[in-house]
Amino acid sequence: MLNDASLGLLLASIPAGLMISMPFAGYFTNRFSMRSLLISAALAYSILLLCLGYASAAWQVSIVLFLFGISRTFYNVSVNTCSIVLQQQFKRSIVTSFHGIWSLAALLGALLSMILIGWDVSMGNHFLMVSIFSVVVVFFFNGSIPETGKGQPKKKLFSAANKGLLQLGFIAAGSMFCEGMMSDWSGIYFSKVGGVTGQYYVLGYASYLTTMVLGRFLGDWFLGKYGEMTMVRASAILLGIGFLVAVVFPNPFLIVIGFLLVGLGVSCFVPMIFLLASKNAEVPIGTAVSSVSLLGYIGFLIGPPIIGYLSEIPSDFRLHSSAALWWPC
């Protein structure tokens, strides 16, 4: 039986794979065909998910999660680069809607998991169904993937001329700390602190994803009306209030309210950061996206193990309030 600290280290396997592979993502994005890179990463993602469903030992799970993180890096950078390429063809903002589609898929996945858990479907069969569906989607839509230039000159990851990317990366780190914590610990927190049992523990994460989806689909309109800086400040305030509500009032209903606010606060951070990074004239789009993602995933990496270790320390608040310190970022 894993305790919270051990579980936190296990959950860090994905971010570790992300971090190790991130410095290479920009190079491969600029060096090879965007379509080929995206399809390869998506297929690897699906196959590794299938392997995860049938892993029987903790070390096997850790290895698969590590490789899962590597494939996610290349998938993440390539698909976000494609979204920026498409954004450049429009005068109005559309980039947060792409992230909204991802969040909608995550929400549907969480709800599907709740249903399959209720039906006592094994994890292996669960992941088998998702993997098959993912492969079918890849082959069905592969012709719609935009192509980008390749063979662009290499750039230093963070040069003196790219301090703007470094600043954006620090903002991404604060935001993705919160995202990583919510992805890995919101269900556990909702179950242990909120006292929710059975398959309904996933409702905590689903509530967070619901407002994340809503915020991202509405984000393009707000970006056009109020601009990036106003949106960044508003998002930070919503994050802080949401975490405080969920921590100070450990009641299932109020935890859900807090998670709803956190979802709204986190929703547009990453899309805005990628959009701003792509405007840097000193580096190719793929390099810019991977550069800010590198610091962003540092926050994503340190979040789960920090929360796991802190939760082992006796506290009425489970010390989840430490995450609220990141909201001014």
Side-chain angles (χ1 to χ4, degrees):
M1 184 73 178
L2 294 174
N3 59 28
D4 286 348
S6 298
L7 181 59
L9 286 176
L10 192 62
L11 291 173
S13 296
I14 289 182
L18 288 165
M19 287 294 300
I20 290 175
S21 57
M22 189 62 69
F24 304 98
Y27 171 80
F28 280 96
T29 301
N30 299 320
R31 180 69 178 80
F32 299 103
S33 163
M34 179 60 59
R35 181 180 290 113
S36 298
L37 184 61
L38 179 53
I39 292 174
S40 299
L43 291 177
Y45 215 29
S46 302
I47 294 171
L48 287 167
L49 178 64
L50 179 60
C51 295
L52 183 63
Y54 291 98
S56 57
W59 67 268
Q60 294 174 346
V61 174
S62 181
I63 291 174
V64 174
L65 289 177
F66 177 77
L67 296 175
F68 200 70
I70 293 176
S71 66
R72 177 174 173 172
T73 292
F74 289 100
Y75 179 82
N76 213 15
V77 172
S78 57
V79 77
N80 278 297
T81 302
C82 286
S83 72
I84 296 299
V85 170
L86 289 173
Q87 171 66 82
Q88 293 175 342
Q89 301 176 19
F90 291 81
K91 292 183 178 180
R92 62 182 178 85
S93 174
I94 62 170
V95 70
T96 66
S97 296
F98 287 115
H99 290 258
I101 293 172
W102 176 91
S103 297
L104 179 61
L107 174 61
L108 294 176
L111 295 177
L112 175 64
S113 296
M114 183 178 67
I115 294 172
L116 294 179
I117 291 172
W119 290 350
D120 291 324
V121 177
S122 70
M123 182 180 297
N125 290 333
H126 179 173
F127 287 178
L128 175 62
M129 288 186 288
V130 175
S131 297
I132 292 174
F133 174 77
S134 299
V135 171
V136 170
V137 169
V138 169
F139 280 105
F140 188 79
F141 289 104
N142 75 88
S144 303
I145 300 173
E147 192 57 270
T148 60
K150 57 182 179 178
Q152 301 179 60
K154 292 184 290 184
K155 300 280 185 177
K156 295 172 65 176
L157 190 59
F158 287 119
S159 66
N162 294 326
K163 291 182 179 178
L165 290 181
L166 186 60
Q167 293 170 349
L168 290 173
F170 281 125
I171 297 175
S175 174
M176 294 184 71
F177 180 101
C178 299
E179 284 197 47
M181 189 195 70
M182 291 300 294
S183 296
D184 291 340
W185 289 104
S186 60
I188 298 172
Y189 183 83
F190 196 51
S191 175
K192 289 189 175 182
V193 178
V196 178
T197 59
Q199 69 268 33
Y200 297 105
Y201 82 95
V202 78
L203 289 176
Y205 182 53
S207 63
Y208 155 77
L209 285 176
T210 299
T211 49
M212 176 183 276
V213 171
L214 179 64
R216 286 180 169 175
F217 280 119
L218 295 176
D220 289 318
W221 183 86
F222 281 101
L223 274 174
K225 187 173 179 62
Y226 298 107
E228 287 90 351
M229 291 310 300
T230 299
M231 286 286 290
V232 167
R233 295 187 184 99
S235 297
I237 292 171
L238 287 172
L239 265 176
I241 294 175
F243 277 126
L244 288 175
V245 169
V247 168
V248 176
F249 305 104
N251 170 275
F253 176 75
L254 292 176
I255 290 175
V256 167
I257 296 298
F259 285 178
L260 290 172
L261 293 174
V262 171
L264 278 177
V266 118
S267 61
C268 292
F269 258 122
V270 171
M272 287 189 295
I273 290 167
F274 287 156
L275 181 60
L276 290 170
S278 70
K279 297 178 180 179
N280 190 306
E282 299 294 326
V283 295
I285 296 174
T287 302
V289 171
S290 64
S291 296
V292 297
S293 296
L294 178 62
L295 278 179
Y297 278 114
I298 289 177
F300 197 87
L301 171 65
I302 65 178
I306 285 178
I307 297 301
Y309 278 113
L310 290 180
S311 66
E312 292 290 298
I313 303 173
S315 171
D316 292 337
F317 296 141
R318 304 284 180 176
L319 292 179
H320 279 68
S321 55
S322 61
L325 297 176
W326 284 77
W327 74 264
C329 293

